[in-house]
Amino acid sequence: MFSLKQNSWFIRKVVIWRAVASIAWSVLLLPVTTAVFVLLSRFSLFHPIQWISDCTSLLAASSTIFSLVVLCGVVLITGFFNLEFYTLVPSIPCSRMALLGTVLHPRQCVHSLVYCTMGMLVMWCASVTIGGRYSTLGTTCRQSESGEVVTCLNEYHLFILLAGAFMGYSHSFLGVVQNMYYVSFQPIQQYKYPRFKGCLPMVVKCSVIQALYSARNFAAFYFFFGYAPKTWISSTLNLQIDSSLQPLDSLTGLLDLSLLYHLSISGTFLYLTWYLTVLLFRIYVTEAYSFPVQSTFTEDAEQSLPKVLAEKNTLVMKFLALQDLALLSQHSLSRRLEVFSLSQPGGHAHNWNAISRECLSLLSELTQRLVAHQDAVASNGRVKSQSASSDTRSASSSSSVVSGTEDIAETPRLSVPLRTPGSVFKSSVGGANSALTAPFTPDVDSPFSSPAIRRLVGQQDPQSPCFGTVQSPHIMRRGPKPWSASTESQSSGSPPASPATVPSPPAASQKPSFLAQWLQNRREQVKSFLAKRVLIMYLFNKLPEASSQALFADSQAHIWALQGLSHLVAASFSEDQFGVVQTTLPNILSCLVVLLEAVDRHFKLPHASSKPVRTICSMGDSTYKTLRFLLRAVLKTTIYKITTTFGEHLNAVNISTEHRKRLQQFLEFKD
Amino acid sequence: QFTRDTLKGHSRPESSSRSAFLDQRDTLWMRRLLCSDEMVAEFSQMLDWSDSALRSFAWHPHTDKFAVALLDDSIRIYKSNSSATPTLKHRCQRSVCALQWKPLCGSALAVACQSCLLIWHVDPTSLSTRPSSGCAQVLSHPGHSPITSIAWSPTGSLLVSASPVDTGMMVWDVAAESAVPLQRVGGGGVTYLSWSPDGSRLLAATPSALFRVWETRMWTCERWPCLKGSCQSACWSPDGGCLLLSMQGERVIYALTFSDLTGMNNNTYGPPFLFSLSLSVGGEVCSLSWDPRGERLAVLLKGDSQAVNHPSVIAVFKTRSSPVFELLPCGFVMGEAGAEPRFMQFHPHFQHGALLTVCWSDGRISHVPFYFSSAGLLGGDSPQQALASNTADHSSNKLYTEQIS
């Protein structure tokens, strides 16, 4: 991914600077949050004047300044992780096993480790700032027997540090589960400052709630397992354990209100630091960017809107270009006129043609994806075609019915990708195994799919567990541990020809046929054996509606394409002087109607129309769960917008009879 | 099309259904003790909301159908060429204060209730008379109730809701069921929302003497402190360039004009002008409605409850916006003896002129067509048998326009 980033002017000139600005603002906010934290940590109700003067002197102390420097480092690393991990297309694990695979993935392990360390660092700063009994790891104490003064382990300090590591890990873990790095776009445009102000209460609330949860969980954790780190630290650092104090891994030790208060506010401080960085990054990255419709100079040609829309390599640029298209089509008359204009020598409508072609190819790609998915799950999971075989498991309720059919489908090609352990969480997007990509990924190699789609698919690597084929327990068992491979391809993420999938275990690929036969029998036995085990079924069963969510994971792009098209077409009724839109109107209408039919049929599938449970407060963005509803609503509005604008004139448009019938329903507002 | 027969077909079931609701009033009196109900009654566009058999009314923006909210918290949908009248009932549907159909959609109806916002999806082709409550989406946000005003964006993509107790208004992405709060301190809540027909601006009135005009591109707002009283009602001219406002306790209509009518440059617009038109007759202006062609303006003047001869009345004006903004008195719409107008709305796409729908205090709904040619020539009000258009009266009413700034 990094090599691709180097190539794109947009990443270099825009995204990097936006990330830098967001990190700079997070660093600037640090003194403020630290001051609030100091005030809260030293809070004393009965001596307000002493409290204030204590806090001001503490804020000027050198230890606080040093803490701030450490915290700046933490914020910088967080910001770097945001930039490196952020995604516009969420990863949607389709089974619990896939989720487990993502959590235990090496890249994720590194992430967790770094966050644990950062959590300890922040908590160290917090404990130094709070001072008192928390400040150092070692304290002097008097041994009970001999009465001599020795250095003892300060369990409070250790407790706070471990809490930091625990919170760091839970932040990293929840980041995967709740898609913390998914960046969604707001339905309305706002300037950055009002948006930040509007989100701030939500972020504070989230961090408080999350800190309270984590504090509770950590207290329980320490109660049961606190003995181990305590003895380990005291033996390695040769510190005594003060027996006169109440140990913290006991009920009476934990029921210390002041300790719990300090734990919660330090936890809130920790989460707030991270969440603010994430929030600022989201606000900066999703800020609208205005691309010129027509470039004045040839060297800027690659920055013009039609070129950028056709760009495949930089997803963020494509998204922002589509957003810009949707905005200009609604709000800017002068830029619309540029879209409808003709090229100066030649008189071709290059701008409109390029834009409409790109939008239509996006939409038709979605249609194909939906149709392929419907074919796959049609007739209750029975195999329709060879290529559909691998995903049948998802739709079938009884695995035994499928196992027979599936094995037949699999036998002819005991190919490499099937065995690829990495494919548990890495989509097999590559030339060799396109037949095995799940049927509802767009067929990457098919001639219809536009190059843009291939890019989009390529970007979807984390969500592959749904698309990825290997879901059956037996394959999982036979391969080595599923997270052992394809590290590089994950971290580098270069979509085409994911190299890591190919070199992984080749042993299984060349086998004589009788062995395959025997294997198949054994496999069936193993499978029926495993199907009876509750835990295995629990891990491998598909999560309901996950496949539906995964299908529409990148639908924000389609929504903008629809909005842009609808407003442009509607505006063309009065603003298009040369009639450039009229030539593409039949294409647009039929594309929309076909997509509508596909979407309608998709919503008749089980689980497709069930609404997700709304999460009350979490930093993870769950808007991707409802994108399909949004897409359907926008699609209908788009068609209505066009039909109400054109009215009876639509009868003059050359489209097929069925489509005309469908449009007639829209004209009468009967849909 | 609406002939007189179909119109009466619409208005009759209302009066008959009303008698059935009369005995429910006692329980409703109990419920009125709740302060939120009083708040709804105060800020509802329906005059005498708590006492009225009809709670709210909304025309569909594209087809000949309308929805009526009744005293028993049910909503009925009437269509011009179908006898089926679906009745919508939902557990959460209490104290309906406003209704609005989603533009560019055949089925979605937004309902502002006491505790939440309901989005009904009523299939226009289905013949069922009781759509299940599964057809309704419940949108709620803590601290955002009761909801007294809602407004769909003219493109149908966003829904804005407002509550008098919440300083923020919610911008809903209905399909995703997510909301973006737009907070502004000052004013202490938002009572009334109105989206300009071109979608570029949104009026938000507060309970105090302040209203805001939001521009909907970057969602920034302009503050307009009023001289006295809060903004009671408002309506936009069809091109979105002119905003008429009425203030509480005043007999004046204010007009704000926005100077970027051409739309060539959305970023710059000059300071709006302020007109004041004062009527020497009638009471306080409590509701305004402008027909979609911009030719007729209906003004609901609240009567004096103490005086006997001062019922509420609807005054109709001819309007012209170019070359200068003009209001000419046209006539009055009156109901049957003893019936007072409570609510009015123009039909959004009446072919032959303008069609004003009035909800009366006796539970009737009547439609008053105005036939005129587009040049503004008066073709004549065609009063229904129940209505008397008191045109002889207006010569004695003085009306003048005055430019303040």
Side-chain angles (χ1 to χ4, degrees):
Chain A
M1 190 167 282
F2 212 71
S3 60
L4 282 172
K5 277 180 183 173
Q6 297 300 324
N7 294 335
S8 164
W9 65 271
F10 191 75
I11 299 283
R12 261 184 291 121
K13 287 188 184 163
V14 181
V15 176
I16 294 280
W17 287 112
R18 287 181 170 190
V20 167
S22 77
I23 294 172
W25 275 110
S26 327
V27 168
L28 285 179
L29 279 175
L30 259 184
V32 181
T33 49
T34 314
V36 173
F37 171 69
V38 165
L39 282 176
L40 283 177
S41 67
R42 295 278 173 116
F43 182 71
S44 72
L45 186 63
F46 301 109
H47 309 285
I49 297 168
Q50 197 196 349
W51 168 50
I52 299 287
S53 62
D54 268 6
C55 290
T56 34
S57 61
L58 183 63
L59 281 173
S62 59
S63 68
T64 316
I65 306 291
F66 181 70
S67 298
L68 271 179
V69 173
V70 173
L71 288 173
C72 283
V74 169
V75 166
L76 285 180
I77 297 173
T78 317
F80 175 74
F81 269 95
N82 285 338
L83 178 62
E84 200 49 36
F85 275 71
Y86 84 98
T87 169
L88 298 171
V89 177
S91 69
I92 299 165
C94 278
S95 65
R96 291 176 180 86
M97 196 63 219
L99 190 59
L100 202 61
T102 331
V103 171
L104 296 174
H105 188 271
R107 179 170 138 109
Q108 184 57 33
C109 289
V110 170
H111 184 266
S112 306
L113 208 64
V114 172
Y115 266 90
C116 281
T117 322
M118 288 201 300
M120 284 177 87
L121 275 177
V122 175
M123 281 308 208
W124 179 80
C125 295
S127 62
V128 168
T129 315
I130 299 170
R133 57 181 184 178
Y134 301 101
S135 52
T136 51
L137 189 59
T139 49
T140 52
C141 61
R142 198 173 290 275
Q143 240 170 1
S144 50
E145 305 109 40
S146 54
E148 57 183 310
V149 178
V150 288
T151 321
C152 285
L153 173 73
N154 183 1
E155 205 181 345
Y156 293 104
H157 188 79
L158 179 70
F159 183 78
I160 292 282
L161 282 192
L162 285 178
F166 181 84
M167 288 178 182
Y169 183 75
S170 61
H171 177 79
S172 165
F173 175 76
L174 285 177
V176 174
V177 176
Q178 298 176 345
N179 268 313
M180 188 84 75
Y181 287 109
Y182 166 58
V183 177
S184 72
F185 290 81
Q186 280 211 315
I188 59 172
Q189 295 294 307
Q190 274 179 289
Y191 289 112
K192 292 191 285 286
Y193 175 62
R195 195 172 155 204
F196 176 75
K197 218 171 59 175
C199 292
L200 195 58
M202 191 269 292
V203 168
V204 172
K205 196 174 129 200
C206 280
S207 45
V208 170
I209 289 176
Q210 194 57 47
L212 288 177
Y213 271 118
S214 297
R216 184 198 67 184
N217 293 347
F218 177 69
F221 176 81
Y222 195 80
F223 178 70
F224 288 112
F225 305 105
Y227 184 73
K230 196 165 72 177
T231 45
W232 183 69
I233 293 279
S234 64
S235 61
T236 31
L237 296 183
N238 204 10
L239 294 167
Q240 306 284 317
I241 289 178
D242 193 353
S243 48
S244 64
L245 286 173
Q246 186 75 34
L248 279 180
D249 53 343
S250 64
L251 264 187
T252 43
L254 279 177
L255 280 178
D256 182 351
L257 276 186
S258 140
L259 176 73
L260 290 182
Y261 172 70
H262 281 127
L263 178 63
S264 339
I265 60 161
S266 338
T268 310
F269 176 63
L270 170 73
Y271 279 118
L272 191 65
T273 317
W274 285 339
Y275 285 173
L276 278 180
T277 318
V278 172
L279 174 73
L280 283 166
F281 181 78
R282 282 184 191 166
I283 290 176
Y284 268 88
V285 162
T286 56
E287 194 193 358
Y289 186 87
S290 180
F291 296 89
V293 177
Q294 250 173 333
S295 53
T296 334
F297 305 105
T298 41
E299 55 262 36
D300 295 342
E302 61 164 358
Q303 303 185 9
S304 69
L305 191 59
K307 286 278 186 323
V308 167
L309 279 177
E311 177 71 49
K312 308 128 208 153
N313 288 331
T314 319
L315 195 63
V316 59
M317 180 164 77
K318 193 177 175 78
F319 267 61
L320 285 173
L322 283 163
Q323 187 193 30
D324 187 38
L325 175 70
L327 288 177
L328 85 87
S329 69
Q330 277 183 64
H331 295 295
S332 173
L333 173 68
S334 52
R335 296 181 71 197
R336 276 200 302 265
L337 289 179
E338 274 187 71
V339 171
F340 298 139
S341 69
L342 301 180
S343 65
Q344 203 37 268
H348 298 287
H350 287 309
N351 291 337
W352 166 252
N353 285 343
I355 287 173
S356 66
R357 182 171 13 138
E358 205 46 52
C359 290
L360 286 181
S361 73
L362 260 182
L363 297 178
S364 59
E365 168 269 330
L366 179 65
T367 314
Q368 279 165 24
R369 204 195 294 176
L370 290 175
V371 168
H373 177 57
Q374 282 146 18
D375 286 349
V377 299
S379 65
N380 200 16
R382 300 227 174 247
V383 184
K384 277 262 164 169
S385 65
Q386 279 255 326
S387 67
S389 66
S390 41
D391 196 61
T392 45
R393 192 180 316 275
S394 63
S396 69
S397 44
S398 68
S399 67
S400 58
V401 176
V402 191
S403 60
T405 48
E406 207 219 16
D407 282 341
I408 298 164
E410 275 176 16
T411 332
R413 38 185 170 79
L414 284 163
S415 50
V416 178
L418 251 188
R419 306 289 145 110
T420 307
S423 63
V424 174
F425 41 80
K426 172 86 187 117
S427 153
S428 35
V429 184
N433 42 17
S434 68
L436 280 171
T437 47
F440 54 115
T441 39
D443 194 356
V444 187
D445 292 326
S446 80
F448 328 108
S449 68
S450 78
I453 309 328
R454 284 180 219 176
R455 171 63 189 164
L456 280 179
V457 173
Q459 279 288 333
Q460 291 170 354
D461 57 326
Q463 75 195 36
S464 55
C466 303
F467 300 144
T469 56
V470 186
Q471 298 257 328
S472 57
H474 63 282
I475 292 169
M476 289 295 303
R477 270 188 80 233
R478 297 170 89 245
K481 287 200 187 300
W483 45 86
S484 62
S486 77
T487 321
E488 315 90 290
S489 75
Q490 279 285 311
S491 50
S492 69
S494 55
S498 57
T501 51
V502 184
S504 50
S509 57
Q510 285 95 29
K511 281 199 175 130
S513 61
F514 76 92
L515 191 53
Q517 194 65 39
W518 180 80
L519 266 179
Q520 187 193 336
N521 294 337
R522 302 299 300 163
R523 194 192 298 166
E524 226 163 299
Q525 285 174 4
V526 169
K527 188 185 285 179
S528 58
F529 172 76
L530 282 177
K532 291 186 189 105
R533 298 296 172 274
V534 178
L535 180 67
I536 304 285
M537 288 318 288
Y538 175 79
L539 284 178
F540 285 95
N541 264 352
K542 281 238 163 184
L543 298 171
E545 68 167 305
S547 63
S548 207
Q549 284 174 14
L551 264 179
F552 289 94
D554 60 341
S555 281
Q556 187 64 62
H558 304 117
I559 288 166
W560 281 324
L562 282 170
Q563 284 175 341
L565 271 186
S566 79
H567 287 109
L568 280 176
V569 169
S572 78
F573 190 69
S574 54
E575 292 167 9
D576 180 12
Q577 300 165 0
F578 309 107
V580 293
V581 176
Q582 280 180 24
T583 51
T584 37
L585 198 53
N587 273 344
I588 292 173
L589 283 173
S590 55
C591 177
L592 291 178
V593 172
V594 169
L595 179 59
L596 181 67
E597 279 166 2
V599 169
D600 278 350
R601 248 182 287 132
H602 179 82
F603 272 90
K604 293 200 175 94
L605 297 178
H607 294 305
S609 53
S610 57
K611 298 258 174 188
V613 187
R614 260 197 285 171
T615 46
I616 304 301
C617 191
S618 81
M619 262 312 269
D621 208 324
S622 60
T623 43
Y624 63 89
K625 290 180 183 166
T626 48
L627 271 180
R628 58 183 186 280
F629 301 105
L630 191 56
L631 180 92
R632 181 173 60 166
V634 169
L635 179 60
K636 284 193 174 176
T637 311
T638 300
I639 301 179
Y640 271 123
K641 177 107 192 163
I642 295 176
T643 51
T644 45
T645 312
F646 282 82
E648 293 304 312
H649 299 288
L650 278 184
N651 294 329
V653 179
N654 182 22
I655 45 173
S656 71
T657 329
E658 303 100 77
H659 291 173
R660 193 180 300 282
K661 255 182 220 156
R662 196 83 170 91
L663 285 180
Q664 193 60 36
Q665 286 181 349
F666 277 91
L667 273 174
E668 291 163 2
F669 280 86
K670 288 270 172 65
D671 201 273
Chain B
Q1 277 309 325
F2 280 95
T3 63
R4 276 182 199 180
D5 292 335
T6 58
L7 293 181
K8 286 218 265 175
H10 284 166
S11 53
R12 262 185 202 140
E14 290 326 307
S15 34
S16 58
S17 59
R18 179 192 164 248
S19 57
F21 302 141
L22 279 175
D23 47 350
Q24 290 194 353
R25 274 208 191 146
D26 289 349
T27 56
L28 278 159
W29 266 105
M30 305 296 286
R31 214 188 294 146
R32 264 196 66 180
L33 295 174
L34 296 168
C35 68
S36 71
D37 249 23
E38 286 170 14
M39 205 145 46
V40 171
E42 171 150 9
F43 297 116
S44 168
Q45 285 295 297
M46 181 72 72
L47 215 58
D48 262 337
W49 177 88
S50 52
D51 213 19
S52 176
L54 306 170
R55 246 56 197 294
S56 188
F57 174 91
W59 274 109
H60 191 275
H62 307 284
T63 52
D64 289 334
K65 70 176 168 188
F66 61 83
V68 187
L70 302 174
L71 189 66
D72 64 345
D73 294 327
S74 68
I75 294 173
R76 297 202 177 190
I77 295 171
Y78 295 91
K79 293 173 210 163
S80 66
N81 42 16
S82 154
S83 59
T85 55
T87 308
L88 312 178
K89 281 187 184 174
H90 195 280
R91 189 168 42 82
C92 302
Q93 193 169 291
R94 296 263 169 265
S95 308
V96 177
C97 186
L99 295 174
Q100 201 176 10
W101 291 91
K102 179 178 176 181
L104 298 176
C105 181
S107 58
L109 172 72
V111 182
C113 308
Q114 194 179 49
S115 59
C116 62
L117 193 60
L118 282 177
I119 311 291
W120 282 96
H121 295 274
V122 190
D123 186 3
T125 51
S126 107
L127 293 171
S128 122
T129 52
R130 279 293 304 271
S132 78
S133 53
C135 302
Q137 267 177 289
V138 182
L139 307 177
S140 62
H141 195 275
H144 192 70
S145 68
I147 296 171
T148 56
S149 187
I150 45 177
W152 284 98
S153 72
T155 52
S157 53
L158 298 171
L159 173 69
V160 184
S161 69
S163 167
V165 296
D166 191 358
T167 51
M169 51 185 204
M170 295 286 158
V171 182
W172 292 93
D173 198 344
V174 169
E177 300 192 2
S178 64
V180 181
L182 290 174
Q183 293 278 356
R184 284 290 184 279
V185 283
V190 182
T191 54
Y192 178 74
L193 295 168
S194 173
W195 212 304
S196 74
D198 63 346
S200 63
R201 284 194 188 79
L202 175 73
L203 169 89
T206 65
S208 59
L210 171 76
F211 66 92
R212 296 190 177 88
V213 181
W214 293 81
E215 57 85 26
T216 59
R217 192 179 182 192
M218 292 306 286
W219 290 93
T220 53
C221 68
E222 283 182 339
R223 280 164 55 100
W224 285 90
C226 312
L227 299 175
K228 72 174 196 189
S230 62
C231 175
Q232 176 86 16
S233 176
C235 62
W236 291 88
S237 69
D239 58 0
C242 182
L243 172 67
L244 299 184
L245 297 147
S246 69
M247 301 296 157
Q248 197 169 33
E250 280 190 274
R251 297 176 166 193
V252 181
I253 301 172
Y254 293 89
L256 287 178
T257 53
F258 296 91
S259 55
D260 60 335
L261 283 183
T262 52
M264 280 303 286
N265 194 345
N266 276 317
N267 292 327
T268 60
Y269 54 92
F273 304 106
L274 195 62
F275 294 96
S276 123
L277 320 154
S278 43
L279 301 162
S280 62
V281 109
E284 153 189 353
V285 177
C286 63
S287 182
L288 295 165
S289 185
W290 208 334
D291 91 299
R293 298 181 178 204
E295 307 255 1
R296 291 291 181 278
L297 176 74
V299 181
L300 178 52
L301 302 166
K302 195 178 183 178
D304 192 351
S305 53
Q306 263 77 42
V308 186
N309 290 329
H310 265 279
S312 303
V313 71
I314 293 175
V316 181
F317 298 89
K318 279 193 278 187
T319 55
R320 204 192 300 167
S321 54
S322 67
V324 284
F325 184 74
E326 246 181 9
L327 277 187
L328 296 169
C330 176
F332 292 94
V333 176
M334 289 195 176
E336 286 180 338
E340 291 190 358
R342 289 281 163 85
F343 184 81
M344 57 183 190
Q345 188 175 38
F346 274 103
H347 189 284
H349 56 96
F350 189 61
Q351 299 291 324
H352 313 289
L355 179 73
L356 181 68
T357 303
V358 185
C359 301
W360 299 95
S361 58
D362 61 356
R364 263 171 198 276
I365 294 175
S366 60
H367 305 276
V368 190
F370 300 86
Y371 294 104
F372 52 81
S373 65
S374 200
L377 199 70
L378 180 68
D381 295 356
S382 66
Q384 283 182 254
Q385 70 185 141
L387 309 167
S389 177
N390 199 344
T391 43
D393 219 330
H394 76 254
S395 56
S396 62
N397 303 332
K398 294 201 186 83
L399 181 136
Y400 57 92
T401 62
E402 173 189 22
Q403 186 167 351
I404 287 180
S405 67

